[in-house]
Amino acid sequence: MSATPKIETTDEVADALARGRPVVALESTIITHGMPWPGNRDMALEVEAAIRSEGAVPATIAIIEGRLHAGLDETAITALAQTKDVMKLSRADFAFAISERRTGATTVAATMMAAHLAGISVFATGGIGGVHRGAESSFDISADLDELGRTSVIVVSAGAKAILDIPKTLEALETRGVPVVAFGQDAMPAFWSRDAGLAAPLRLDSPAEIAAFEATRRQLGGHGGMLIANPVPEADEISADVMAVHIQTALARAAERGVEGKAVTPFLLGEILELTGGESLKTNIALVLNNARLAARIAVALAAR
Ligand code: PSU
Ligand code: MN
């Protein structure tokens, strides 16, 4: 048995990795479980274009019929965006999808694993999973947090999704030794909103500073992941007050219907989409694009060192 699993890459990704050029990994759960068709496909393709325009190469991660891909072409992205019954893969079921030849979309946790295997050190997403509200009774804490604690990939996000308990999520990240860096502001962003009403643990103002921080962490060894919390652009934000009401309604509906486990996050995102009359999706797409651009600039700054 070989030591490393085979990773299928596009020529563009293979070439960039071989030359040490900047590459940005992208997750696929946001495509299959985070947004409806056809907006999900448009988002995925626009995000790839944004990364290229910043001088980096995008690598969308997914497992397709048991094959681990780092880099999908337009046809593959379009097909995945329309496939029903795709698994939502985290660390627990990543290998299962390969051994059972299943098709699965990677969450933040599984995308970090794949990026690390492929030698990609920067990854852009929307918002990470975290400690759910009521976790003290449900025990629902995303595997994204443990993955950030163990796997050395920089994850560029708009913070943790505001449906979560953000103070508890920050505590859990601190316990795991994960630096949480707000980009360009003191406040922790809250996904659809720029300010979660609490200070971010750390702040940096440029991709070069983030690259320097990462280089120092590498020198110290065994460093694990880093979370960049990049606020959604002002023009696209929905205020935290407005979102708080929708989040309460969505949480009440989830409780009423007994939604549990992996279904919780996709259910809440779907309800919020309906409650905001589609506005939350526009904001979600805008923040992912914003994160993709920053991730590309960080990858460029790291490659230049
Ligand atoms: N960001 C989005 N939409 C999403 C997700 C992130 O804008 O759908 C996904 C990510 O893949 C993240 C997952 O890892 O939600 C968290 O799921 P859970 O809470 O079940 O761990
Ligand atoms: Mn969960």
Side-chain angles (χ1 to χ4, degrees):
M1 205 160 201
S2 67
T4 5
K6 176 145 175 49
I7 304 176
E8 315 270 337
T9 55
T10 55
D11 290 346
E12 187 191 20
V13 170
D15 181 68
L17 289 172
R19 294 167 190 246
R21 294 204 47 237
V23 180
V24 174
L26 296 162
E27 64 154 303
S28 43
T29 295
I30 189 170
I31 304 174
T32 55
H33 294 71
M35 295 179 189
W37 169 267
N40 60 347
R41 179 222 26 217
D42 298 346
M43 177 278 304
L45 297 177
E46 273 178 56
V47 163
E48 293 221 332
I51 288 170
R52 288 194 188 95
S53 73
E54 294 288 346
V57 171
T60 299
I61 309 283
I63 294 178
I64 297 173
E65 293 169 0
R67 294 213 167 111
L68 174 57
H69 289 258
L72 295 179
D73 62 21
E74 190 173 330
T75 312
I77 287 176
T78 304
L80 186 68
Q82 297 176 87
T83 306
K84 305 259 186 289
D85 301 322
V86 176
M87 290 181 79
K88 174 181 165 186
L89 303 174
S90 189
R91 172 171 277 272
D93 32 30
F94 183 74
F96 178 92
I98 296 174
S99 68
E100 290 295 307
R101 297 189 167 74
R102 303 280 289 269
T103 293
T106 51
T107 60
V108 168
T111 306
M112 288 182 76
M113 291 173 69
H116 189 70
L117 283 169
I120 303 170
S121 54
V122 186
F123 157 29
T125 182
I128 62 158
V131 181
H132 281 265
R133 300 187 195 191
E136 54 275 29
S137 56
S138 69
F139 275 43
D140 191 352
I141 300 174
S142 178
D144 292 355
L145 302 182
D146 277 335
E147 204 60 45
L148 278 159
R150 73 201 288 178
T151 302
S152 300
V153 171
I154 299 175
V155 179
V156 182
S157 70
K161 284 186 277 285
I163 53 175
L164 302 166
D165 186 321
I166 296 180
K168 286 195 183 74
T169 299
L170 287 178
E171 291 295 346
L173 287 166
E174 189 192 26
T175 302
R176 289 159 178 76
V178 179
V180 177
V181 180
F183 185 69
Q185 67 178 29
D186 294 325
M188 187 66 195
F191 199 66
W192 300 282
S193 321
R194 289 172 60 84
D195 188 347
L198 73 172
L202 302 168
R203 168 186 174 155
L204 289 172
D205 294 315
S206 69
E209 283 174 285
I210 294 169
F213 180 29
E214 175 66 7
T216 305
R217 297 184 76 228
R218 286 180 188 176
Q219 283 166 359
L220 296 174
H223 61 293
M226 177 188 321
L227 183 66
I228 306 298
N230 186 29
V232 62
E234 243 171 275
D236 302 296
E237 130 170 275
I238 307 177
S239 82
D241 299 348
V242 170
M243 284 312 300
V245 178
H246 296 317
I247 290 166
Q248 283 307 331
T249 308
L251 288 167
R253 288 181 185 175
E256 227 167 74
R257 289 182 215 178
V259 180
E260 285 175 339
K262 280 177 185 272
V264 172
T265 297
F267 176 84
L268 294 174
L269 292 174
E271 292 301 303
I272 286 169
L273 174 70
E274 183 213 307
L275 288 162
T276 59
E279 282 304 305
S280 67
L281 180 60
K282 279 195 216 156
T283 299
N284 200 341
I285 292 171
L287 66 85
V288 178
L289 278 169
N290 192 46
N291 295 342
R293 280 185 220 105
L294 178 57
R297 292 167 60 205
I298 294 168
V300 168
L302 272 172
R305 286 185 69 91

